[in-house]
């Protein structure tokens, strides 16, 4: 009995330590965001909301947030439309070539982001897309496509092949069949894919650093520059706001499921 | 066939080295209930999906009332189809499913409503119009699939093993309903099954397929009583096979010898004297009796009681094992393993088979 309880304590302590290791760096931004100093530090003489005020009143920060949201939504739309079309096409064909095509499409996940960003940079220069919204949306769409197509593939895996056949035999054209019976089946995957695509884009920095200069300022890039140029605690406030929004969304999702 | 609605000519479909359809030609009559029957891999489903337009033929042609439809896509063929597993649209209600082919054909909404109500009544599913397919039992889903496939008044209805997922009792009920529906609507039914009882009980004609080619076509009684090949004799019901030598006689009374016994076969065609032929003999045509009562003497090897009938295996030193199926209520004797019995059959009980 003694040995067993020792083992239990050891395991539990270990588990909690690992959790703390994972969570504390994230949580440390909360006290930092409340500091009363004008540089990154823990609160000394008291708590202050000034950095939150700064975030919500700074045109630059708000513009960057808006830019990231705009790009994220654009990417979610483009990637969902293209990724769904790709997945549905492959599902209909489901031959050797379509399997190869599926593998090629998920390479963006496998290639190191720096290598890919370099590729974007070289190519975007030639296309004149450097430092444009179109350029960023296009690059992020390419990065997000695999997530959308994978989740749509997963949704279509449950679709009985005889269902689109039934629609065809009942007189529906290929297009009507896709819209009326295949897309509804793909919908859960499309929703999940769109959310993934938005997150991929909202979070992305390496590509943005390579292909934008001044004109396009996204939130991750702004945070990055904030660390580089000045050590403004507003960054911590932004990070806290994002963390809280994420937690709220997750809680809502969990409640809706249960 | 004079009033042929659909004809299949020299249809060939290969999957790699396998010939799923090997030069199949078939005329389907207007309003008939035609069953494609065969074991798995016989090509029956390939033939049905080729008719539906989902399988492209390597060669051969299909025509509907004289018009070639070989290259037509499934949506243009206007055939109703009931799929194995029903294939109802899970995102639409029962009424939505039935209305789908009508909406695709751009009917106006009041016509659609009238027709959907008619079709629901046809399959007695009026109460379930607003349910989703997932809220229905297998038999109910089957009815909806049927109503959906009939709603746009197709001239031909294709059914791919529609009852295979249902339990035995429900299957029997739905067989009657399908038959009634067929008679009531006058639509041509092309029905695929591997279940010989289903085929025998419902069809006007049965097409027996094996390895991608047609073995025999005929009415249920014709196929059962006059099988042409050992495969047909064995696949539809049970058969005893006897290798016999033709020793003489004339059409109507052919003399045969087998296993040291001789007997007469009432066959319209007389094979050449001296030729060896295979005969099929249905177990229920064999009579069993007390020793001396029938022509041949044997011994009971095994007995299987099936309720309304009993199956008895009788061994004969020359003929081998003969399966006898006799009604249990008038066996006359009580066959027990080891009992000496006599057995025999009428001269029209045996059928000459082709060597195939």
């Amino acid at each position: 009995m003694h040995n067993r309880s020792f083992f239990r304590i050891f395991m539990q302590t270990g588990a909690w330590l690992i959790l703390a290791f994972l969570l504390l760096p994230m949580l440390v931004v909360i006290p930092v965001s409340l500091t009363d100093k004008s540089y990154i530090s823990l609160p000394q003489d008291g708590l202050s909301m000034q950095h939150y005020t700064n975030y919500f009143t700074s045109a630059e920060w708000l513009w960057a947030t808006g830019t990231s949201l705009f790009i994220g939504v654009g990417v979610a739309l483009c990637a969902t439309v293209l990724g769904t079309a790709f997945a549905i096409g492959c599902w209909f064909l489901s031959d050797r070539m379509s399997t190869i095509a599926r593998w090629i499409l998920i390479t963006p996940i496998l290639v190191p982001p720096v290598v890919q960003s370099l590729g974007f940079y070289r190519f975007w220069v030639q296309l004149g897309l450097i430092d444009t919204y179109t350029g960023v949306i296009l690059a992020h769409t390419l990065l997000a496509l695999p997530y959308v197509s994978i989740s749509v593939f997963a949704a279509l895996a449950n679709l009985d092949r005889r269902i689109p056949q039934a629609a065809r035999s009942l007189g529906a054209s290929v297009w009507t069949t896709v819209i009326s019976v295949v897309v509804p089946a793909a919908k859960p995957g499309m929703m999940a894919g769109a959310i993934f695509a938005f997150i991929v884009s909202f979070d992305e920095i390496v590509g943005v650093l390579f292909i934008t200069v001044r004109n396009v300022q996204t939130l991750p890039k702004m945070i990055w520059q904030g660390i580089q140029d000045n050590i403004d605690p507003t960054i911590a406030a932004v990070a806290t706001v994002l963390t809280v929004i994420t937690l709220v969304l997750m809680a809502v999702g969990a409640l809706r499921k249960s | 066939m004079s009033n042929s609605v659909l004809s299949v000519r020299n249809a060939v479909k290969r999957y790699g080295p396998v010939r799923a359809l090997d030069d199949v030609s078939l005329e389907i009559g207007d309003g008939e209930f035609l069953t494609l029957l065969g074991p798995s891999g016989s090509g029956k489903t390939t033939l049905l999906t080729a008719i539906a337009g989902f399988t492209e033929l390597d060669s051969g042609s299909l025509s509907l009332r004289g018009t070639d439809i070989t290259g037509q896509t499934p949506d243009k063929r206007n055939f109703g189809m009931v799929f194995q597993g029903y294939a109802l649209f899970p995102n639409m209600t029962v009424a939505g499913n039935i209305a789908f082919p009508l909406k695709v054909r751009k009917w106006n909404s009041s016509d659609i409503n009238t027709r959907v109500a008619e079709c629901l009544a046809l399959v007695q599913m009026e109460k379930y119009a607003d349910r989703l397919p997932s809220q229905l039992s297998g038999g109910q889903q089957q009815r909806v699939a049927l109503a959906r496939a009939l709603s746009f008044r197709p001239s031909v209805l294709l059914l791919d093993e529609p009852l295979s997922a249902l339990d035995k009792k429900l299957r029997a009920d739905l067989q009657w309903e399908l038959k009634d529906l067929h008679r009531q609507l006058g639509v041509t039914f092309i029905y695929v099954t591997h279940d010989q009882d289903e085929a025998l009980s419902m069809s006007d004609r049965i097409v027996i397929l094996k390895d991608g080619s047609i073995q025999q076509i005929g009415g249920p009684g014709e196929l059962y009583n006059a099988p042409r090949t050992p495969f047909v004799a064995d696949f539809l019901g049970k058969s005893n096979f006897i290798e016999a030598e033709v020793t003489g006689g004339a059409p109507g009374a052919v003399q045969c010898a087998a296993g040291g016994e001789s007997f007469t076969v009432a066959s319209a065609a007389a094979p050449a004297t001296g030729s060896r032929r295979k005969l099929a003999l249905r177990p229920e045509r064999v009579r069993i009796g007390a020793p001396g009562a029938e022509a041949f003497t044997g011994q009971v090897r095994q007995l299987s009681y099936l309720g309304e009938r009993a199956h008895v295996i009788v061994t004969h030193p020359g003929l081998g094992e003969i399966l006898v199926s006799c009604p249990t209520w008038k066996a006359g004797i009580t066959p027990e393993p080891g009992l000496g019995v006599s057995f025999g059959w009428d001269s029209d009980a045996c059928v000459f088979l082709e060597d195939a």
Side-chain angles (χ1 to χ4, degrees):
Chain A
M1 277 315 283
H2 182 75
N3 271 342
R4 239 173 106 184
S5 64
F6 172 76
F7 183 72
R8 260 180 81 90
I9 290 167
F10 177 78
M11 289 303 278
Q12 281 184 350
T13 316
W16 283 112
L17 281 175
I18 289 170
L19 267 182
F21 177 69
L22 289 174
L23 283 177
L24 284 181
M26 267 201 285
L27 297 179
V28 83
V29 299
I30 297 172
V32 171
S33 71
L34 293 169
T35 187
D36 49 350
K37 303 292 179 220
S38 61
Y39 48 89
I40 288 185
S41 60
L42 288 172
Q44 281 171 16
D45 302 329
L47 299 178
S48 160
M49 292 298 283
Q50 55 173 306
H51 305 299
Y52 287 92
T53 317
N54 187 34
Y55 171 53
F56 286 111
T57 52
S58 150
E60 262 192 347
W61 278 108
L62 291 178
W63 181 256
T65 310
T67 300
S68 273
L69 286 173
F70 169 72
I71 291 175
V73 169
V75 168
L77 283 175
C78 294
T80 304
V81 169
L82 291 173
T84 304
F86 175 81
I88 289 177
C90 282
W91 185 83
F92 266 108
L93 293 173
S94 67
D95 54 2
R96 239 171 69 87
M97 287 313 286
S98 70
T99 313
I100 294 171
R102 283 172 65 167
W103 275 102
I104 293 173
L105 196 84
I106 62 165
T107 47
I109 294 184
L110 309 173
V111 176
V114 174
V115 176
Q116 203 159 31
S117 302
L118 197 64
F120 285 141
Y121 174 71
R122 296 275 307 162
F123 207 45
W124 269 213
V125 166
Q126 284 175 13
L127 296 174
L129 289 172
I130 290 293
D131 209 18
T132 60
Y133 288 95
T134 318
V136 177
I137 291 177
L138 200 58
H140 283 183
T141 299
L142 292 175
L143 295 176
L145 264 179
Y147 297 96
V148 176
S149 61
I150 286 171
S151 55
V152 174
F153 273 126
L156 290 180
N158 299 323
L159 179 61
D160 185 344
R161 291 194 171 270
R162 286 174 292 220
I163 284 179
Q165 282 194 347
R168 295 282 281 144
S169 81
L170 294 169
S173 63
V174 175
W175 179 247
T176 311
T177 302
V178 167
I179 293 301
S180 54
V181 303
V182 182
V183 167
K187 222 177 213 163
M190 290 166 68
M191 299 298 278
I195 292 169
F196 266 122
F198 177 82
I199 292 170
V200 165
S201 163
F202 197 78
D203 201 36
E204 208 278 336
I205 176 138
V206 183
V208 171
L209 289 179
F210 273 75
I211 60 172
T212 64
V213 190
R214 289 248 148 101
N215 190 25
V216 182
Q217 198 73 317
T218 68
L219 197 56
K221 192 176 159 202
M222 194 73 181
I223 293 173
W224 167 255
Q225 281 167 351
I227 289 271
Q228 294 269 297
D229 308 343
N230 48 24
I231 38 174
D232 183 357
T234 309
I235 296 164
V238 175
T240 307
V241 168
L242 292 180
T243 309
V244 168
I245 290 174
T246 311
L247 283 176
V248 168
L249 287 178
M250 279 180 64
V252 169
L255 280 177
R256 273 191 55 185
K257 235 173 221 168
S258 65
Chain B
M1 188 153 304
S2 54
N3 55 345
S4 162
V5 57
L6 190 71
S7 43
V8 182
R9 288 193 199 95
N10 309 104
V12 174
K13 177 70 190 175
R14 292 181 206 87
Y15 291 112
V18 181
R19 279 170 172 258
L21 290 178
D22 192 0
D23 196 21
V24 169
S25 295
L26 181 63
E27 297 287 328
I28 298 153
D30 203 356
E32 85 170 320
F33 195 131
L34 182 92
T35 298
L36 307 176
L37 176 68
S40 56
S42 59
K44 56 189 191 302
T45 301
T46 309
L47 182 54
L48 192 79
T49 55
I51 293 171
F54 296 119
T55 302
E56 215 175 306
L57 293 175
D58 293 330
S59 65
S61 67
L62 291 165
S63 59
L64 178 69
R65 295 186 207 285
T67 316
D68 185 82
I69 57 162
T70 315
Q72 231 174 35
T73 52
D75 53 320
K76 299 281 180 283
R77 296 195 181 187
N78 221 30
F79 296 159
M81 181 151 178
V82 178
F83 290 79
Q84 204 176 357
Y86 326 126
L88 295 177
F89 305 133
N91 53 318
M92 300 178 198
T93 60
V94 166
N97 266 279
I98 298 173
F100 182 84
L102 310 178
K103 281 187 183 145
V104 167
R105 285 172 175 74
K106 307 218 162 27
W107 286 29
N108 69 48
S109 62
S110 67
D111 287 352
I112 291 181
N113 291 338
T114 318
R115 182 62 185 156
V116 167
E118 264 173 41
C119 290
L120 284 168
L122 191 69
V123 293
Q124 296 126 46
M125 287 290 290
E126 299 97 323
K127 277 182 268 173
Y128 302 94
D130 298 322
R131 297 268 189 102
L132 287 171
S134 56
Q135 297 165 322
L136 301 178
S137 71
Q140 291 169 334
Q141 291 186 37
Q142 183 54 67
R143 285 161 207 260
V144 176
L146 206 57
R148 182 179 69 175
L150 288 167
S151 67
F152 56 101
R153 298 196 179 87
S155 53
V156 176
L157 183 67
L158 312 174
L159 302 107
D160 183 11
E161 308 217 13
L163 306 182
S164 62
L166 303 174
D167 64 63
K168 204 175 169 184
K169 176 80 174 62
L170 196 56
R171 209 155 62 204
D173 291 346
L174 275 165
Q175 280 181 24
W176 290 108
E177 282 182 36
L178 272 176
K179 241 184 127 159
D180 283 343
L181 214 54
H182 174 250
R183 193 163 323 145
Q184 191 182 335
L185 299 172
V187 173
T188 307
F189 277 33
I190 304 178
Y191 190 98
V192 163
T193 184
H194 64 268
D195 182 332
Q196 43 149 317
D197 295 329
E198 240 172 70
L200 288 171
S201 72
M202 291 194 286
S203 322
D204 294 328
R205 280 197 308 158
I206 301 173
V207 178
I208 295 190
L209 288 146
K210 184 200 174 199
D211 299 334
S213 55
I214 294 178
Q215 292 276 310
Q216 196 172 349
I217 306 177
E222 187 185 342
L223 288 186
Y224 188 80
N225 293 319
R228 251 198 327 252
T229 64
F231 177 81
V232 174
D234 205 32
F235 193 73
L236 267 191
K238 288 183 158 63
S239 253
N240 292 298
F241 294 108
I242 299 169
E243 295 283 350
E245 192 185 337
V246 179
T247 54
V254 182
Q255 293 299 319
C256 289
E261 305 279 3
S262 60
F263 50 92
T264 307
V265 176
S267 163
T273 301
S275 61
R276 292 196 69 82
R277 294 295 295 269
K278 199 175 232 184
L279 290 163
L281 173 63
R282 293 289 182 195
E284 68 274 16
R285 298 298 303 271
V286 185
R287 290 184 307 268
I288 191 165
E294 301 286 348
F296 313 122
T297 308
Q299 202 178 29
V300 174
R301 191 176 76 74
Q302 198 50 272
L303 173 83
S304 166
Y305 184 81
L306 302 172
E308 58 191 37
R309 300 193 77 81
H311 282 176
V312 186
I313 297 172
V314 177
T315 55
H316 178 275
L319 296 169
E321 294 190 340
I322 299 286
L323 178 69
V324 185
S325 167
C326 52
T328 45
W329 46 272
K330 58 170 258 199
I333 53 159
T334 311
E336 282 164 25
L339 185 76
V341 290
S342 69
F343 64 98
W345 55 83
D346 294 333
S347 63
D348 62 351
C350 281
V351 180
F352 282 113
L353 299 176
E354 285 165 15
D355 296 317

